[in-house]
Amino acid sequence: MERKASRRENECEDKNSNSESSELDKDYKTSLVTLNVGGYLYITQKQTLTKYPDSFLEGIINGRIMCPFDADGHYFIDRDGLLFRHILNFLRNGELLLPEGFRENQLLAQEAEFFQLKVLSEAVKSRWEKEQLASRETTFLEITDSHDRSQGLRIFCNAPEFIAKIKSRIVLVSKSRLDGFPEEFSVSSNIIQFKYFIKSENGTRLVLKEDNTFVCTLETLKFEAIMTALKCGFRLLTSLDCSRGSIVHSDALHFIK
């Protein structure tokens, strides 16, 4: 009799345990929501979508805002499906985190306003304004000989990435030390300073090409900078010192976009 009673108690405990587990699974599944945003499916939790009261998504989940369903029964929102990734990441992280090189600030700000996320909208606009300000600031690169400042070139541009591109090429090649390139040089944020430029009958020589095999004069470096800038959509605003005649003989170049 005692064994039968014990067996019944164990069976009851197993049933209760299975019942509780089933309820937990059911609660977890019902907490998940699938959204169809412009044809892109996103699965997330209700607590993520309701993080900001009075937002568009919180209104949908809590029934304040009517939302159509797609053929599979998912909420359908007729907005930019790709940009919604950043909306959802903001809800998850509580801060604006965008990939490097992101350029769709204006579109993202519009999406934030549609979803009634004021905090996100302000964060995007602040980021956009900072980028606009940075784009108007002139960045320069000076390539010079520490013993003779007249032997060198200054490049001015309102796009830091362009300056960084030219700088990285010169630094990379100089580190390779090919073809007798000067081994001693120092690099700061805006200046590449060589202890000595290589001298030749044709003037100062610099390795420039990406394959590290081409040795050119300083004048050729200026020409390469001009051609690279024009190909990238910049225009030569002015040569800051054209007293020597040709642009490639000037001491500085100024580009703007």
Side-chain angles (χ1 to χ4, degrees):
M1 290 293 291
E2 289 181 359
R3 289 181 180 178
K4 289 183 179 180
S6 177
R7 187 180 301 170
R8 287 176 183 174
E9 288 177 359
N10 291 335
E11 289 176 354
C12 288
E13 288 178 358
D14 289 341
K15 287 181 180 180
N16 290 333
S17 177
N18 291 333
S19 177
E20 290 176 1
S21 177
S22 178
E23 287 297 323
L24 289 174
D25 290 341
K26 185 177 179 180
D27 290 341
Y28 179 73
K29 289 179 180 179
T30 56
S31 72
L32 297 180
V33 179
T34 300
L35 301 175
N36 181 342
V37 184
Y40 291 82
L41 296 181
Y42 292 90
I43 301 176
T44 186
Q45 297 185 70
K46 287 183 178 180
Q47 65 185 41
T48 301
L49 300 177
T50 58
K51 187 172 183 178
Y52 289 88
D54 300 325
S55 68
F56 180 83
L57 295 169
E58 183 272 334
I60 289 177
I61 298 302
N62 291 329
R64 293 189 298 101
I65 297 175
M66 298 298 295
C67 182
F69 296 91
D70 64 11
D72 296 318
H74 308 311
Y75 289 112
F76 177 76
I77 304 174
D78 190 16
R79 301 299 296 184
D80 192 317
L82 287 174
L83 283 179
F84 187 74
R85 163 197 172 194
H86 306 302
I87 301 289
L88 194 55
N89 280 336
F90 174 77
L91 294 175
R92 290 166 174 162
N93 301 316
E95 61 179 320
L96 179 62
L97 300 172
L98 296 174
E100 185 177 350
F102 183 81
R103 289 291 181 268
E104 297 182 304
N105 293 300
Q106 189 172 4
L107 289 174
L108 183 56
Q110 290 179 346
E111 295 301 295
E113 289 180 3
F114 172 83
F115 287 103
Q116 300 170 21
L117 293 167
K118 185 178 180 180
V119 178
L120 175 58
S121 179
E122 291 175 349
V124 175
K125 289 178 180 178
S126 176
R127 180 181 188 274
W128 188 15
E129 289 173 357
K130 289 179 181 179
E131 287 185 354
Q132 292 293 311
L133 181 61
S135 68
R136 291 193 293 269
E137 294 179 350
T138 299
T139 304
F140 76 93
L141 174 65
E142 182 176 336
I143 306 162
T144 184
D145 186 321
S146 60
H147 293 266
D148 185 359
R149 293 293 293 271
S150 66
Q151 287 290 329
L153 171 66
R154 286 168 292 158
I155 301 174
F156 297 83
C157 187
N158 68 334
E161 64 273 12
F162 174 72
I163 295 295
K165 180 179 180 180
I166 294 180
K167 175 182 173 182
S168 63
R169 288 177 63 186
I170 296 173
V171 171
L172 176 64
V173 174
S174 62
K175 284 184 177 179
S176 69
R177 302 175 180 176
L178 295 180
D179 200 11
F181 201 84
E183 297 184 3
E184 295 184 55
F185 68 97
S186 60
V187 181
S188 67
S189 59
N190 297 102
I191 298 176
I192 301 176
Q193 189 174 73
F194 293 98
K195 187 172 182 179
Y196 294 103
F197 281 140
I198 300 175
K199 304 293 181 179
S200 70
E201 292 181 0
N202 296 323
T204 303
R205 302 166 63 206
L206 292 169
V207 179
L208 177 67
K209 293 296 185 180
E210 293 180 2
D211 60 7
N212 298 350
T213 61
F214 181 63
V215 180
C216 69
T217 65
L218 189 58
E219 285 68 32
T220 306
L221 171 60
K222 297 172 187 178
F223 181 76
E224 287 281 345
I226 292 172
M227 295 305 297
T228 302
L230 294 178
K231 289 178 181 179
C232 293
F234 296 93
R235 62 189 176 92
L236 182 62
L237 181 65
T238 181
S239 172
L240 300 185
D241 181 7
C242 293
S243 60
R244 300 185 182 183
S246 172
I247 289 176
V248 294
H249 293 119
S250 64
D251 294 329
L253 303 172
H254 192 171
F255 302 102
I256 194 169
K257 199 173 206 177

